[in-house]
Amino acid sequence: MAENKKTPSVQVFGRKKTAVAVAHCKQGQGLIRINGVPIDLVQPEALRYKVFEPMLLVGSDRFDKVDIRVRVKGGGHTSQIYAIRQAIAKSLISYNQKFVDEASKKEVKKILLSYDRSLLVADSRRREPKKFGG
């Protein structure tokens, strides 16, 4: 019988309004795909750099050892982009915590938090229901 060895992986989510992105981060060679499409082809093009922010901040060397697959549903284009970037950032941190070491996790977390807190913490604001009358 062949041994069933599991590759080290983590699964985290990012949220913005009604958009939910689930990132599955595992050991690999640096592939990042969003709904099966490479990260370089993310639409809308104007918001593409928002998705690249976690990689640009911590450096591509940390992403070379992991593959990240992101599934995103709900919300509009902008909400989905923000949910994706949060899921990517959180997946890298939890992967480092679980399979690398605590020091690298703290270093990555500090870099991301100093840039933008919404990379790690979900925004709790939601749309307020329309009122009747005027």
Side-chain angles (χ1 to χ4, degrees):
M1 253 189 168
E3 281 188 39
N4 191 5
K5 293 195 177 190
K6 290 198 169 199
T7 55
S9 66
V10 292
Q11 192 170 349
V12 295
F13 64 90
R15 283 193 177 143
K16 176 72 174 173
K17 294 185 180 178
T18 57
V20 179
V22 179
H24 186 76
C25 182
K26 64 180 182 176
Q27 191 175 4
Q29 66 261 12
L31 288 173
I32 300 176
R33 293 185 161 267
I34 294 154
N35 288 344
V37 178
I39 195 166
D40 302 329
L41 304 175
V42 171
Q43 294 294 331
E45 196 172 329
L47 292 170
R48 191 173 294 164
Y49 284 106
K50 280 290 183 190
V51 176
F52 281 109
E53 278 178 357
M55 282 142 289
L56 296 172
L57 288 169
V58 299
S60 61
D61 56 317
R62 294 194 196 269
F63 283 91
D64 289 342
K65 300 174 214 83
V66 294
D67 287 348
I68 301 175
R69 304 218 186 296
V70 183
R71 292 302 232 179
V72 63
K73 286 183 179 178
H77 295 295
T78 306
S79 295
Q80 285 189 351
I81 295 291
Y82 278 88
I84 289 166
R85 79 195 268 262
Q86 186 181 62
I88 290 173
K90 285 170 72 175
S91 70
L92 184 67
I93 286 177
S94 58
Y95 183 86
N96 278 329
Q97 180 181 13
K98 202 168 182 184
F99 302 111
V100 184
D101 62 346
E102 192 69 23
S104 68
K105 173 233 167 186
K106 285 186 178 179
E107 185 182 334
V108 171
K109 191 170 182 177
K110 183 180 174 191
I111 292 168
L112 294 173
L113 279 174
S114 67
Y115 178 74
D116 188 2
R117 189 169 184 264
S118 69
L119 279 169
L120 301 178
V121 181
D123 188 358
S124 62
R125 295 178 295 173
R126 297 290 178 262
R127 189 179 146 275
E128 190 172 332
K130 174 111 175 62
K131 306 297 187 292
F132 64 92

